[in-house]
Amino acid sequence: MATGKLRNQKIYFTLICLLLFSPTLIAQQTESADITATPPAPVTEVVAFDTPNDAGSSITICWKKSSDDRPDDRLFAGYKILRAVYPRGEFQQTADAPAGAEETFDNEAKDGVEYTYRIRAVRGDLYSDSDASPPAQSKQQWFHTGRVNALIGCLIIGLAIIFFINRAKSGKELYIRKIAGLEAVDEAVGRATEMGRKIFFIPGINDVDNMQTIAGITILGRVAKRVAEYDAKLEVPVCRSLVMVACRETVKGAYLNAGRPDAYDEDAIHYLTDEQFGYAAGVDGLIVREKPATIFYQGAFFAESLILAETGNYIGAIQIAGTAMPAQLPFFVAACDYTLIGEELFAASAYLSKEPKLLGSLKGQDVGKVVILLAILIGIVIHTLGLFNFAQIFTVR
Amino acid sequence: MRRQIPQLLTAIVGFVYIIQFFIPHKPFNLFERMFSDWFLIIAACAIWLGVLNLLKLSSEKVYKRGKDWPYSLVSICGFFLITIAGLFFSGGRHFQDPGTPFDYVYVNIFTPLSATMFALLAFFVASASYRAFRARSKEATLLLLAGFFVMLGRVPVGDLITSWLPEGYRLSNLTDWIMNVPQTAGQRAIMIGIALGIMSTSLRVILGIERTITGGE
Amino acid sequence: MEFFEKLMSIDRRVIFFFVGVALIVPFFLDIGQKIEISPEVQALYDAFMELPPGSKVLMTFDYDPPSAPELQPQAITALRLCFDRNLKVIMIGLWPMGPMQANLALGTIFSEKKYLDKEPVYGVDYVNLGYSPGNELVIQRMGSSIPATFPRDFQGTPVEEIPLMQGIVNFSNIDFVFNLSAGYPGTVEWVQFAVDRFHARMGAANTAVQAPLVYPYVHAGQLTGLSGGMKGAAEFEKLTGFIGKGTKFMLSQSFAHVIVILFIIIGNTAYFVTRGREKRS
């Protein structure tokens, strides 16, 4: 009997303890529930479509981000992109997207295969998936619709150039304004011949894939022909191996056309170094030791432009520079006798040759400039009046 | 044929480059990368042309005790120093790691030499400015004034001199205005002209009208 | 009259001497300068500060030793800022010597007392993927796949084995691009490809000569911020609170500018006096 009474007392004691401490236990569980992340709100409005203007294999997926995707929610980890072959494929993760993202690209889609996507919002260890997107398949496009404006621009300017080239071929005289630097080429080459000193030609420090280098080399061809005719000495220290090869071909051709193949010296066109300031040091050394009477700087230059030009100025050479690097133009203007600014570098070859076909292309360029000028004026009016975003027309995607 | 083949190749590659910009469909999308890779490979291989040319001319000068031959000797020694240090004594692939002989040459010889050449600009800018910034005409005066204000405004001294003016009207603000408004406008105009010039030259080269680069007339 | 004529054609070595003195003397002086922060540098700093911890920053070292006096202080400041804010740094170079400059910058930072005990972990907090030839084509390829463009890091480790590179596919996985540029290829190419084509968010640090060319991109909103030249470096240092070589060398630059301006004034004075006397005679 006593055992039974004691057992009942134990039971009552246990029950009372449970009743007294249960709020604490519940509170702890509630606190634990607060600490543990709750699943994030799912992403909505998931759409997938073929990425436009590409070579296929790409699908764009857009969505409206989870309402729990906020900067102050440190537990929100981002999104996982799940993909399945439509209609019955199994969803598998293909990529991640960071918090805040509302768009991503699946660049591993197979063309012609329909896929459907879910976006998994992740918060801590929990996640929630969106509804599946309508199916989408990737395909290649034959034309980049975001570049229609570039095509129209190219056609206008290209056709204008070709039109004026043909017009010039028909014998029509074209007016080209005088460019002082190019008018001085003959004088510069003649001066070097009289003084018995060399002519240096520096075709810039970029490689042959740069249009400024190409323009410089075409000018070299014209200058080399004059040099051959005047029987002067030409030296062309270069910064790139391919430029050396191209310059040699050009100068050889120029000497041949001038009827002086015997005067061509291959070693006059030589390589120094690819390194910018090593090249500048090498050319400076050559300038100070050889004391050329004339120096041409025609091509792409960077910080070494003033070092070269000042050294040439110091030895009293006549210097004709030309570059399409706007940052270097002030240095050449300050240190050289003549400077071809920007497009004058590209016009130089046509100007020196006086060939109608080449001069015609300069007129075509001017048409392009007129078109751009008109567009700027129209744009100023439209934007000032706030009519619409005119500048957007010229965005090339 | 010696001139026609390069011109034909130029035309083909030029047109393909233009077309691939507008047509993303295979195989056009591959051409840009393919041609660019080919150019890189050719340029990388062509370095030997330049290097051998340099060594040949320098060696000839040293051998024949030509004019200024000591400078050619320096070129040859410099070339072999860094090549041998980098290829044979610097741990192969890790030749750029700190502590290798290549790194030593880079940090203690190449870097100071390059920095010295660049530092010459400070002196040359001063002498060029002294010679060129003369108020000979209206335009030259404008250039002089702009250079004057920009040079002063770019250092704290400019604001110190004009500290008595309210904020927003000091020399650095004037400098910012010069750089952001007339300078930017001028740059943009020059860049438009350059872009048109590039287009015209490219078209001439692609169409074979400009032939000097391949040795033609 | 002779004196002013002589002044007009002064030997340039005299100018060099004074410029040399103006550059060297400030190293021995301890004069503070008030550095005003320009809106472009402020915008750059703000862009860094907006990045939450763990963000991936792509730092591109497109310069070599000659441009290091202007750009190295900015690289060091940016790296410090990234490490202090727990931003993960991926370093690359479009110039061959860029990655070596990156290593030099890291060496400078890690020699500081602050980092002796708690040096950022390579492969977790930062990685140097080295140099890739191809100029702007590299940027274009990165738009498709960064691991394919840089399959190994500077030391030859495959990127698949580098924890920091997990999940990095292209620019959509990069939170911010910081380009340090001294010329070509540089900021212009990064804007044309990474920003315009692949919509990367980007700030830049340029040399003083290059910066004017890049201002149009800041005003067009293509660049988030721009730090130009030594002054930009000093401003950036001031904003971040790390006073380095950018601030120290500004004094030399200030002195040098003043000397150049004085010589210009002297030259013009001599010019006007000589011209006036010629007119009168």
Side-chain angles (χ1 to χ4, degrees), chain C residues 89-92 122-123 125-129 153 162 164-165:
Chain C
V89 183
I90 302 166
M91 294 177 284
I92 66 164
Y122 185 85
D125 298 309
Y126 70 99
V127 67
N128 188 340
L129 297 180
D153 77 344
I162 299 172
L164 178 53
M165 293 302 293

Side-chain angles (χ1 to χ4, degrees), chain C residues 13-62:
Chain C
R13 284 171 289 190
V14 172
I15 302 171
F16 293 169
F17 173 76
F18 280 98
V19 171
V21 166
L23 289 168
I24 294 168
V25 164
F27 287 130
F28 305 103
L29 301 175
D30 192 16
I31 302 173
Q33 290 185 101
K34 190 171 174 230
I35 312 275
E36 295 286 344
I37 311 295
S38 61
E40 291 83 11
V41 178
Q42 183 69 56
L44 179 65
Y45 174 75
D46 291 343
F48 271 102
M49 297 304 282
E50 279 164 12
L51 295 168
S55 298
K56 309 265 188 332
V57 175
L58 179 72
M59 272 183 75
T60 79
F61 289 75
D62 301 338

Side-chain angles (χ1 to χ4, degrees), chain A residues 140 147 248 310 349 361, chain B residues 21 26 53 127 131 204:
Chain A
Q140 306 182 59
R147 295 176 182 173
R248 281 184 172 175
E310 264 300 288
S349 174
S361 70
Chain B
F21 185 74
K26 288 189 174 84
N53 173 253
S127 65
R131 202 181 53 245
R204 292 202 302 261

